[in-house]
Amino acid sequence: MRVIKRRRVRGGLLTLAVAMGVAAVTPADMPWRNTAATATVAESTAATSTTATSTTATSTTATSTNAADHTRLRALLHRLTTVDGAPGALVEVRNRHGGSSVLTSGVADVKSHAPIHRDSRFRIGSMTKSFVATVVLQLVGEHRVALDAPVERYLPGVVRGHGNDGRRITVRQLLQHTSGVPDILDYLTPREILKDPLAHHDTRDLVNIALAHPPTFKPGTGWRYSNTGYLLAGMLIEKVTGHTYGEEIRRRIIAPLGLRETYVPGDSSSIPGPHPRGYVRPGEDAPLMDLTGINPSVAGPSGSMISSGTDLNRFLDALVRGRLLRPAQLRQMMNTRPTGNPDGRAYGLGLESRPLPCGGISWGHTGDVLGYETIGGATVEGRQATVMANVDPGGTDAQDDDMRAAVQTALCGSRHP
C-alpha cells in the first residue's frame, strides 16, 4: 500500500497525533543525525567473524558478495540513516548459489538505541501486491479466473456508481493499474487512519469509499496506481476460492516456499519476531512518531503483509524463475506497460521492471506503509536484494533514490558499468 507517497506530509498530522497521545520522539533522542551510522554485515555462508571498526557492529568474512559491493552498500545505508533521516536500514542480498549477505545501519528503536536485527521482520506495504497477483494468476492457470473477463463475472454488482462499472473493467486491468478505478488513498487520509490506528477496516467498505468518486480514466486507456484495484483482487480471490486472500497466500506461497518469517496478519497489530520500530515524521522538522502498532486491515490485500529480507528474496527468486506460476501466466505477469516514470519503470501484473545500470532488468516491487518503506528486486539469473528503512513517510526525497540505488548495486554485483 502506498501510504502518503509524497515525502512532504500534509500539515496538521503532528497536532492530531499529539492530541491522540501517539508516542513522539524528540530530536534529542535521535543520535544518528549527528554521528556516523554503524553498519553490521552478517554472512550466512561465513565460517569466521571479526570485530568491525565500531564496537557495536560485527562482520563476517564470506565470498558470496564482492567486498567492493559491500563498500558501496555500506555507503548507501550510511546515507539512509544520516542525511536521509531514517532511524535504521537493512539490505539483504542473495546470490544464485543461495549465499546471502545482510548489512544494517542505524537503530531499530530510537529510545533504546537497539541495533537493527539481521533477521528483522517488517511491514512490506505494496510488495503484498506481488503475492496477491501471484494467487490470481495461479487461479488463471487453473482455469478458474480469466484475465480478460470482466470483474463483474466474479464480483457481481460490486463495482458500480459514479461512472465505475465492473462490466467494463477486466481482471487484468485491476492487476496492472489500467482499470481507472479511483485510489482509496485519495480519499482515506492519514488523518482519518490516525484517529484510531487499531480500528478494523472492512475491505468492501474501503472499496465503497473509493467508488463514491468517478474513475480517473476510461478502463484500458491509461495507467495510474490504484490500491483499490488490489482490494478488489483480494475480494475476487475470496469469491472464487471460498477462502480469504490471506489463507490462499499461506496455502499457495508461504507454506510451499517455507517462508517462516512471512505473515498475512489480518487484524493483528503486532509484528512477530525481531523487528524495528516503525516511525513516521509528520512534518519536515517534526519529531518522529512511533506507529509500529497499527491494524493492517486498513491496507488489506493492497499492502498488509509482514515479511523479512530473507523471505522476500526467496519469494522473488521463486516467482521470476518460474516456481510459482506456469510459463503462460509468468509471461502475462511480465508483460509490462510504461508508467511514465523517468527511470524506465514499467508495470506488469503485480510486478515492476526496472533497467539496471549494469545491463539487464530487475523484477520486483516497492512498498510504502505507515512506519516502513521496502524495495525488493530480483534478476532471472538468480540474484535478489531487499532494502528496508523504518520511517515512512518522513524521510527525505532522496530516501527513495538511495533505496533504489542499494537494490541496483546489490543486483549488479561486480558488473557495475
Side-chain angles (χ1 to χ4, degrees):
M1 191 175 193
R2 298 195 173 195
V3 177
I4 343 173
K5 188 58 183 170
R6 297 176 186 85
R7 292 280 162 214
R8 299 294 177 249
V9 188
R10 297 181 182 97
L13 190 56
L14 176 60
T15 302
L16 170 66
V18 171
M20 291 165 47
V22 177
V25 182
T26 66
D29 291 320
M30 298 185 286
W32 66 90
R33 296 182 111 193
N34 301 312
T35 61
T38 58
T40 302
V41 185
E43 307 283 0
S44 64
T45 56
T48 62
S49 65
T50 60
T51 302
T53 55
S54 167
T55 57
T56 60
T58 60
S59 66
T60 55
T61 304
T63 59
S64 61
T65 304
N66 187 284
D69 301 333
H70 277 170
T71 300
R72 285 187 285 265
L73 287 172
R74 284 194 193 98
L76 287 164
L77 289 182
H78 177 82
R79 281 184 54 82
L80 284 168
T81 55
T82 52
V83 296
D84 292 347
L90 171 151
V91 59
E92 179 152 348
V93 186
R94 187 169 178 264
N95 65 29
R96 70 186 70 188
H97 307 296
S100 66
S101 307
V102 180
L103 286 78
T104 70
S105 181
V107 297
D109 185 322
V110 299
K111 290 190 172 180
S112 70
H113 302 162
I116 297 282
H117 196 283
R118 61 153 292 152
D119 292 324
S120 289
R121 284 77 153 163
F122 40 86
R123 302 192 191 280
I124 66 171
S126 280
M127 289 193 75
T128 301
K129 291 179 173 68
S130 298
F131 288 82
V132 170
T134 298
V135 171
V136 173
L137 286 164
Q138 287 181 350
L139 294 171
V140 171
E142 296 164 10
H143 306 291
R144 300 169 71 182
V145 172
L147 271 178
D148 294 310
V151 174
E152 181 76 8
R153 178 184 298 182
Y154 309 103
L155 298 173
V158 171
V159 184
R160 283 286 196 280
H162 301 275
N164 300 289
D165 190 343
R167 294 168 296 186
R168 294 180 172 85
I169 296 170
T170 68
V171 175
R172 184 193 302 275
Q173 289 166 348
L174 290 183
L175 299 182
Q176 199 158 34
H177 301 296
T178 56
S179 68
V181 294
D183 187 359
I184 178 61
L185 290 186
D186 288 339
Y187 307 102
L188 182 69
T189 67
R191 179 186 294 269
E192 293 174 271
I193 296 171
L194 287 178
K195 285 179 181 177
D196 187 357
L198 299 180
H200 169 78
H201 293 265
D202 183 77
T203 300
R204 179 67 184 269
D205 291 343
L206 294 173
V207 167
N208 288 342
I209 291 171
L211 296 182
H213 304 273
T216 53
F217 51 78
K218 182 180 177 182
T221 64
W223 188 92
R224 188 170 187 268
Y225 199 89
S226 175
N227 289 284
T228 311
Y230 275 78
L231 297 177
L232 290 165
M235 293 173 63
L236 180 151
I237 290 170
E238 183 166 1
K239 188 73 171 181
V240 171
T241 67
H243 305 119
T244 66
Y245 77 95
E247 291 172 317
E248 288 298 310
I249 287 174
R250 283 188 286 268
R251 183 174 73 84
R252 293 168 174 269
I253 301 173
I254 293 175
L257 295 182
L259 306 181
R260 298 179 180 86
E261 299 163 356
T262 301
Y263 311 91
V264 185
D267 280 305
S268 176
S269 62
S270 64
I271 300 177
H275 61 275
R277 308 300 296 177
Y279 298 97
V280 303
R281 182 178 286 109
E284 190 166 350
D285 297 315
L288 290 173
M289 299 188 317
D290 187 332
L291 273 183
T292 309
I294 189 169
N295 188 321
S297 65
V298 70
S302 73
S304 71
M305 289 179 64
I306 294 165
S307 191
S308 67
T310 299
D311 277 7
L312 287 174
N313 286 345
R314 283 188 186 143
F315 165 68
L316 288 173
D317 183 51
L319 180 59
V320 303
R321 297 174 77 185
R323 289 181 54 200
L324 290 172
L325 294 174
R326 298 174 183 179
Q329 280 69 59
L330 184 57
R331 285 194 297 271
Q332 297 282 8
M333 183 178 239
M334 291 179 161
N335 184 11
T336 62
R337 61 153 296 151
T339 63
N341 195 296
D343 67 0
R345 178 167 61 101
Y347 204 94
L349 305 183
L351 196 64
E352 298 174 336
S353 70
R354 293 177 190 266
L356 289 170
C358 56
I361 292 176
S362 164
W363 295 97
H365 214 286
T366 59
D368 296 85
V369 69
L370 289 170
Y372 303 89
E373 180 174 4
T374 307
I375 300 179
T379 67
V380 294
E381 293 80 21
R383 196 170 179 93
Q384 310 92 47
T386 296
V387 180
M388 180 279 303
N390 62 334
V391 62
D392 196 291
T396 66
D397 292 330
Q399 180 171 309
D400 289 351
D401 295 336
D402 287 335
M403 291 183 72
R404 282 194 295 269
V407 170
Q408 292 178 340
T409 296
L411 293 181
C412 282
S414 58
R415 299 184 297 123
H416 291 273

